[in-house]
Amino acid sequence: MKVMRIAVLSDTHLRGGQALPKWVWEQCEVADLIIHAGDVGYPSLLSDLGQIAPLEAVQGNCDGWELAHLPHHKIITCGEIRIGVTHGAYGPGRSTPERALRTFDQDKVDLIIFGHSHIPYQEKQGEILLFNPGSPTDKRRQPQYSMGMIWIEGKIIKAQHIYSSVR
């Protein structure tokens, strides 16, 4: 059984003239799929990422009209795993993880990927793994920049944050 590698990004917030750090591109180059959980910044980033691997993306609360065509949430099927993707800014709930979980409370998903808080997060809620990659370009109060890598093999999901002190 082939292991699927998924590079996970969120909250890149890139503006014209800015680029993703080299370490992020290196992680994306080995991925079978790239998921961006919103707040992309400039739209050409998505086409650049899509040149490396298939890309799935959702709209974030800071994405402008150029990215209004992106959904606020979606479900992706990777083999036997159903992945819910949302930015996490909207909906009921006091915390970003709670809003992300509630977005898919009527759906059968195994993994929920979200962003918005810029805080790396990984926690099981019942049978569902919640995963926020953090931000590779806007760490806010976090000690390091971050993104995520997820490996799927059959029904097994392994997730890891990739950290860097370099932007």
Side-chain angles (χ1 to χ4, degrees):
M1 184 175 304
K2 183 181 185 302
V3 175
M4 181 170 207
R5 294 169 299 196
I6 304 170
V8 184
L9 301 169
S10 187
D11 298 291
T12 48
H13 291 283
L14 294 181
R15 305 287 179 249
Q18 294 179 323
L20 285 178
K22 182 180 178 194
W23 64 271
V24 175
W25 289 110
E26 289 169 350
Q27 295 296 322
C28 290
E29 286 172 358
V30 299
D32 300 305
L33 174 67
I34 301 169
I35 295 176
H36 197 298
D39 280 358
V40 174
Y42 65 88
S44 63
L45 174 61
L46 295 181
S47 57
D48 292 346
L49 289 169
Q51 296 296 313
I52 297 172
L55 173 73
E56 296 285 349
V58 295
Q59 186 181 145
N61 62 303
C62 292
D63 287 324
W65 62 268
E66 308 95 339
L67 296 170
H69 65 282
L70 294 174
H72 285 275
H73 65 278
K74 64 173 26 177
I75 296 175
I76 304 160
T77 302
C78 293
E80 299 177 48
I81 301 296
R82 286 175 47 92
I83 304 170
V85 183
T86 186
H87 186 57
Y90 305 108
R94 292 187 178 147
S95 68
T96 306
E98 186 180 348
R99 285 190 298 273
L101 186 62
R102 287 188 176 184
T103 297
F104 299 99
D105 64 1
Q106 300 299 310
D107 300 294
K108 171 69 175 115
V109 295
D110 305 289
L111 167 64
I112 297 174
I113 293 172
F114 63 99
H116 186 57
S117 67
H118 298 224
I119 300 171
Y121 181 92
Q122 180 175 189
E123 185 176 301
K124 283 278 256 196
Q125 292 284 330
E127 295 298 311
I128 301 170
L129 177 62
L130 287 125
F131 188 81
N132 184 330
S135 174
T137 55
D138 186 4
K139 64 185 174 98
R140 292 190 180 165
R141 294 172 298 277
Q142 299 306 301
Q144 293 185 299
Y145 301 99
S146 62
M147 65 173 291
M149 286 298 285
I150 294 174
W151 295 267
I152 295 175
E153 184 175 11
K155 290 291 282 180
I156 299 169
I157 303 167
K158 293 183 181 175
Q160 176 184 344
H161 289 98
I162 309 296
Y163 293 100
S164 177
S165 56
V166 179
R167 181 185 186 293

